[in-house]
Amino acid sequence: MENLLNIFVKSIFIDNMIFAYFLGMCSYLAVSKKYKTAAGLGAAVIFVLAITVPLNWLAYNMLLKEGALTWISPELANIDLEVLKFIVFIAIVAAFVQLIEMVIEKFSPSLYNSLGIFLPLIAVNCSILGAALFLPTREYDLAEATVFGLGSGIGWFLAVVSLAAIREKMAYSDVPKPLRGLGITFIVVGLMAFGFMSFQGFKLPFNRTDDQPKEVSSIESPKDNQVVVETIKIEQ
Amino acid sequence: MSDKIEKKAAEPLLSKKRKELLSNPMDSDNPITIQVLGICSALAVTIALEGTVIMALAVFFVLVLANVIISALRNTIPNRIRIIVQLVVVASLVAVVDQVLRAYAYEQSKALSVFVGLIITNCIVMGRLEAFALGNKPWDSFLDGVGNSVGYGWIIIAIAFVRELFGAGKLFGFPVFESLGLDYIGNGFFATPAAACIILGVIIWILRARSGYVED
C-alpha cells in the first residue's frame, strides 16, 4: 500500500509526464490555448492512461516478455517476443481508444460531446505509448502499473490545465511579436518545469530503497541532474 | 494510369516545385518551429550530441521509408482504417531501427530508452503521412520525407550542441574547454529538461524574427 502511494505521488509530481519526460507535448501545446478544452483532453488522458497501462502490462507480461508464454505450456519458455512490443502496444492503444469512443457515443452522448472529439487525438499522444514503454524497464506488478498509469494521467492533467490558465492570462501581455504563440509558450513551459524540479528534493516518506529520488545537492553538477531524466545518461 | 506515368516522366526529377519540397521544411516551413510537430523527442533526447545524431538518423530512416511506403499504398488503403495502417507501417520500421541500435549501438539505445519507440507517435511522422504521403506520388513523398527529417534533425542537433557545450563543456564527449586550456565547470542548468524548452523557445524566436512569421 505504501509502495503504491509512493508510485502515485512520484508519477504525478516527480516523474511528471510533461515536465520530466516531455511526453505528449504536441497535443499539450495544441490544446492549451483554452482552459476548457485543456481540461477536456486532460480528463480523457487520465481515463485512457489508467486503463491502457494495465492492459499493456498484461500484454507484456503474458505475451511478450521472455518466458512469458509459460502459462500456455512450459515448452514455450524460450520464446522472446519483445521485438513485437511496439506493434502490440500501439495496436492495443489505438484499438482501445476506438472502442471507448464507440461505447461512449452509444451510452453517454453528453460525455461524448465533451470528451469525444479528443479521443482520436489520444491514440497518437506520446504519453500513452510512453507510459507503456516504461513498463519493461520498471518492474511493476499489475496494481503498481495501474497506479502508475493513473498518476501519470493526473500529472498530465495538472500540467495541461495550469499551462492553459497561464496562456489565457498571457493574452493580456505585450509579448515581442516573433516570440508570440509558440516561442513564449516554450519559455513558460521551461519555467514551469523548473518549478516542478523542486519536487525532486522530496524524500518520499515511505521506505523504498531501490528508486528513491536522489537528492539534487547542487545545481552546478550535471551528474546530479541525471535523476531528471533518469534513463538518459549524461556522458561524464 | 498510363497518362499518370507519362506525366511523371515529363516532370524533371528535381523541378522547382520539388526543390521546394526539399528546402521549405528546413527553413520557412520547419516541422518543429512552424508546424509544431515532434516536440517530445526534440526536448528529451537533446542532452548530448551523440544520442541526438542517432535520433535524427533514426527519424530520417523511419520518416523517409514510411512516407514512400504509405505513398505507394495510398490508393489501396481504405480511408477509414488509414490511421491503423499508418501506425503499423511506422511501428514495424521503428522495430527495425530499435533492433539495429541494440545490435550495433547498445549503450546509446539504452540511453535513448523509450524515445526510439516513441518515434511511432512522433507527430512529424504521422503528420507527414496524413498531410502529404496519402495524396502524393512516392518520389515527391520521398523528397518531402527527406526535407522534413532534415529540418527536424538540424533543430535538435542545434539544441543538443548548446546543451552539451554549456551543460558538460563537451562536444561528442570531447572536452572542448579543457583542450583550449580553459577551466570550465559544467552548468547544470543546461542539463535539465527545462533548459531544452527555453533554448527551443529562443531558437524559435530567432528564426521567426528572421522570417517575419507572426503567430496570432
Side-chain angles (χ1 to χ4, degrees):
Chain A
M1 198 54 218
E2 289 178 350
N3 193 6
L4 293 183
L5 201 55
N6 245 334
I7 293 178
F8 188 64
V9 173
K10 195 163 180 262
S11 55
I12 294 179
F13 293 109
I14 300 165
D15 287 345
N16 187 286
M17 275 286 167
I18 292 285
F19 298 127
Y21 296 112
F22 294 113
L23 295 177
M25 280 302 267
C26 305
S27 35
Y28 178 67
L29 295 171
V31 301
S32 60
K33 279 184 189 138
K34 282 209 187 90
Y35 177 80
K36 255 194 150 170
T37 46
L41 186 71
V45 167
I46 297 182
F47 185 59
V48 173
L49 261 177
I51 294 170
T52 55
V53 169
L55 275 182
N56 279 325
W57 185 91
L58 284 176
Y60 183 73
N61 284 287
M62 297 300 218
L63 288 174
L64 300 173
K65 207 162 93 177
E66 185 173 7
L69 289 169
T70 38
W71 60 276
I72 298 176
S73 115
E75 290 153 33
L76 299 173
N78 293 325
I79 294 181
D80 181 3
L81 293 177
E82 206 159 331
V83 286
L84 294 178
K85 70 176 183 221
F86 297 133
I87 298 182
V88 171
F89 286 168
I90 195 72
I92 287 177
V93 171
F96 178 76
V97 168
Q98 195 90 61
L99 194 74
I100 284 291
E101 197 186 345
M102 291 190 301
V103 170
I104 293 182
E105 190 178 7
K106 175 96 176 140
F107 292 107
S108 170
S110 63
L111 183 63
Y112 181 75
N113 285 336
S114 59
L115 211 69
I117 41 170
F118 296 116
L119 282 171
L121 263 179
I122 284 182
V124 288
N125 185 322
C126 319
S127 62
I128 313 284
L129 184 64
L133 290 177
F134 278 127
L135 291 176
T137 49
R138 304 175 178 184
E139 285 159 0
Y140 289 144
D141 62 28
L142 183 57
E144 287 171 335
T146 315
V147 169
F148 165 69
L150 185 68
S152 302
I154 294 174
W156 204 91
F157 176 87
L158 275 182
V160 78
V161 165
S162 43
L163 180 67
I166 294 177
R167 283 182 81 172
E168 280 199 355
K169 286 277 175 206
M170 218 160 52
Y172 305 107
S173 345
D174 186 21
V175 178
K177 266 190 184 150
L179 202 55
R180 267 181 208 169
L182 191 57
I184 192 70
T185 308
F186 269 119
I187 293 175
V188 168
V189 174
L191 295 175
M192 286 168 76
F194 259 116
F196 263 72
M197 266 171 67
S198 57
F199 288 118
Q200 272 161 17
F202 267 16
K203 269 245 192 302
L204 291 179
F206 320 112
N207 45 337
R208 257 191 109 191
T209 44
D210 51 346
D211 64 3
Q212 210 158 78
K214 288 169 233 153
E215 272 183 283
V216 181
S217 54
S218 90
I219 193 99
E220 271 87 35
S221 154
K223 203 194 250 168
D224 291 321
N225 287 314
Q226 257 172 315
V227 68
V228 176
V229 180
E230 59 184 8
T231 38
I232 291 200
K233 199 185 63 195
I234 308 168
E235 298 281 355
Q236 281 295 321
Chain B
M1 199 58 207
S2 65
D3 65 334
K4 247 187 188 168
I5 291 166
E6 266 171 40
K7 243 193 215 159
K8 198 178 167 189
E11 195 176 349
L13 211 55
L14 277 173
S15 62
K16 187 159 176 282
K17 193 189 101 210
R18 288 183 165 151
K19 272 186 194 145
E20 275 174 6
L21 280 182
L22 206 56
S23 65
N24 275 354
M26 295 181 200
D27 182 27
S28 62
D29 194 24
N30 189 282
I32 293 185
T33 65
I34 308 290
Q35 303 173 36
V36 204
L37 299 173
I39 309 290
C40 323
S41 53
L43 298 169
V45 301
T46 51
I47 202 153
L49 270 171
E50 200 182 347
T52 310
V53 170
I54 289 178
M55 186 70 186
L57 290 176
V59 170
F60 179 85
F61 173 81
V62 172
L63 180 54
V64 170
L65 274 182
N67 246 359
V68 170
I69 292 172
I70 291 293
S71 168
L73 293 173
R74 71 186 184 282
N75 294 326
T76 53
I77 300 176
N79 198 31
R80 295 199 59 166
I81 58 158
R82 63 180 197 283
I83 301 269
I84 305 239
V85 174
Q86 288 163 7
L87 283 176
V88 169
V89 168
V90 176
S92 337
L93 288 169
V94 170
V96 172
V97 169
D98 186 52
Q99 293 300 310
V100 170
L101 281 184
R102 271 172 196 223
Y104 296 104
Y106 186 69
E107 280 303 308
Q108 284 301 322
S109 109
K110 262 184 104 173
L112 289 172
S113 76
V114 297
F115 293 100
V116 174
L118 285 173
I119 298 176
I120 299 171
T121 49
N122 189 320
C123 323
I124 294 184
V125 179
M126 291 303 287
R128 291 329 290 171
L129 294 180
E130 272 290 290
F132 198 89
L134 275 177
N136 287 283
K137 290 177 212 143
W139 175 242
D140 289 340
S141 305
F142 174 81
L143 293 178
D144 182 75
V146 173
N148 275 288
S149 48
V150 174
Y152 166 84
W154 87 256
I155 298 270
I156 64 170
I157 288 171
I159 301 173
F161 180 83
V162 177
R163 285 184 76 186
E164 195 181 359
L165 183 62
F166 295 111
K170 294 175 181 175
L171 288 175
F172 287 107
F174 174 77
V176 180
F177 291 103
E178 272 170 43
S179 68
L180 292 173
L182 299 169
D183 220 12
Y184 186 78
I185 299 168
N187 183 345
F189 165 69
F190 284 95
T192 65
C197 264
I198 294 175
I199 295 168
L200 183 54
V202 172
I203 289 180
I204 290 170
W205 188 2
I206 296 168
L207 285 181
R208 287 186 176 179
R210 215 171 55 86
S211 69
Y213 177 90
V214 175
E215 198 179 317
D216 43 33

